[in-house]
Amino acid sequence: MKIFKVTEDSNLSDFTDAVYPQGSFCLAALLRAKDVKINGARVNKNTAVKRGDEVIYYTTSKQEQKPSHSVVYEDENVLVADKHSGVSSEGLLSELRGKGEYYAVHRLDRNTQGVIVFAKTPAAEKALLSAFKERRMNKVYHALCKNAFAQKSGTLTAYLLKNADGSEVRVFSSPRDGAAKIVTEYFVEREHGDLALVTITLHTGKTHQIRAHTAFIGCPVLGDEKYGDRALNAKYAAKRQRLVAKRITFGAGGVLSYLDGAAFESGFGLELPLV
């Protein structure tokens, strides 16, 4: 059991990420089991928290010991971590900051596993932020998708629009006011019945781009509960998206020029078939 006081208005998810990383890693399970209390009342969903509230997490010893990541590469400037599914980027950053100075330069969805980079100095942060913005950090993903691809490879272009709170996006085939252009390249590596193992390269990096763009063409990521195919997810008992940030290749330059061209890979893999 862990007890925390809220010091500023927020929501339960963001508050947990900030103050209790281990609770963040298993927050969904805690909420399902009603193992979170706010001011003595049990809650079963993400909710607002206000300054002065008391939040109690009834985590088990197993949950408290759950690993968040493994180290793929680390030096005095950067950390390349292999993030576990279920771990938020914000929660991982909070955990790392308990050990030293770390800076977020990009993020992965909570249920996407794989390689994620953190800066360890302001100079490295500046170089990486610029490199990600200018698409000089090459990111390749692996996904299990519904096998409905019209072609085995292609480069898709569409337009992505966030909803008001940024928690969900919509994809359109033509430009819309406020929508950002997205470019997603894919290659079907292997097929098995209604599933395909796909390599995806991002040429733009927008919120939920892979999940929303593949769903838009009728090939959603398996296990995606927001944009996915519910019947397919149920068939394979998939409750988390089967999506891995598989490889990242550096091109940051500046103080990190010694890493330019270096590629780091996730140890997580996806297999066909699942049944």
Side-chain angles (χ1 to χ4, degrees), residues 24 43 84 105 124 147 225 231:
S24 171
V43 296
H84 288 230
V105 292
N147 189 21
E225 295 187 320

Side-chain angles (χ1 to χ4, degrees), residues 68-69 81-90 92 106-116 139-143 200 202 206-212 221-224 227 239-247 266 268 270:
S68 60
H69 71 288
D82 205 2
K83 184 182 80 67
H84 288 230
S85 177
V87 174
S88 71
S89 299
E90 295 79 9
L92 177 53
H106 71 127
R107 69 182 306 281
L108 296 177
D109 291 342
R110 181 184 293 270
N111 290 329
T112 297
Q113 56 196 146
V115 287
I116 182 171
K139 295 187 288 183
V140 174
Y141 292 74
H142 285 177
I200 298 171
L202 288 181
K206 301 301 180 182
T207 302
H208 298 173
Q209 178 175 327
I210 291 174
R211 296 162 59 194
V221 175
L222 178 66
D224 189 342
Y227 306 104
K239 296 182 178 180
R240 287 182 176 175
Q241 65 245 22
R242 301 301 198 265
L243 180 60
V244 177
K246 188 61 180 178
R247 184 172 66 254
S266 169
F268 294 111
L270 298 171

Side-chain angles (χ1 to χ4, degrees), residues 204-238:
T204 54
K206 301 301 180 182
T207 302
H208 298 173
Q209 178 175 327
I210 291 174
R211 296 162 59 194
H213 208 168
T214 55
F216 180 69
I217 64 166
C219 305
V221 175
L222 178 66
D224 189 342
E225 295 187 320
K226 181 168 287 189
Y227 306 104
D229 183 317
R230 292 184 179 180
L232 190 71
N233 295 346
K235 176 181 178 179
Y236 291 96

Side-chain angles (χ1 to χ4, degrees), residues 189-207:
E189 300 281 356
R190 294 193 296 277
E191 302 168 84
H192 180 83
D194 53 7
L195 291 177
L197 175 61
V198 186
T199 294
I200 298 171
T201 302
L202 288 181
H203 295 283
T204 54
K206 301 301 180 182
T207 302

Side-chain angles (χ1 to χ4, degrees), residues 3-5 34-43 52-58:
I3 303 174
F4 299 90
K5 282 285 188 181
K34 296 186 178 181
D35 281 337
V36 181
K37 283 184 178 181
I38 299 177
N39 299 329
R42 293 187 183 272
V43 296
D53 285 352
E54 180 184 78
V55 182
I56 303 176
Y57 304 87
Y58 293 92

Side-chain angles (χ1 to χ4, degrees), residues 61-81:
S61 58
K62 182 178 180 180
Q63 288 171 327
E64 290 172 359
Q65 294 168 11
K66 178 182 176 181
S68 60
H69 71 288
S70 59
V71 175
V72 178
Y73 173 83
E74 186 169 16
D75 63 21
E76 68 276 12
N77 292 311
V78 299
L79 166 68
V80 182

Side-chain angles (χ1 to χ4, degrees), residues 159-172 176-180 206-208 211-212 226-227:
Y159 300 85
L160 181 147
L161 182 66
K162 289 184 182 180
N163 66 3
D165 64 6
S167 64
E168 194 167 349
V169 303
R170 296 177 65 192
V171 175
F172 303 92
R176 298 287 180 99
D177 287 344
K206 301 301 180 182
T207 302
H208 298 173
R211 296 162 59 194
K226 181 168 287 189
Y227 306 104

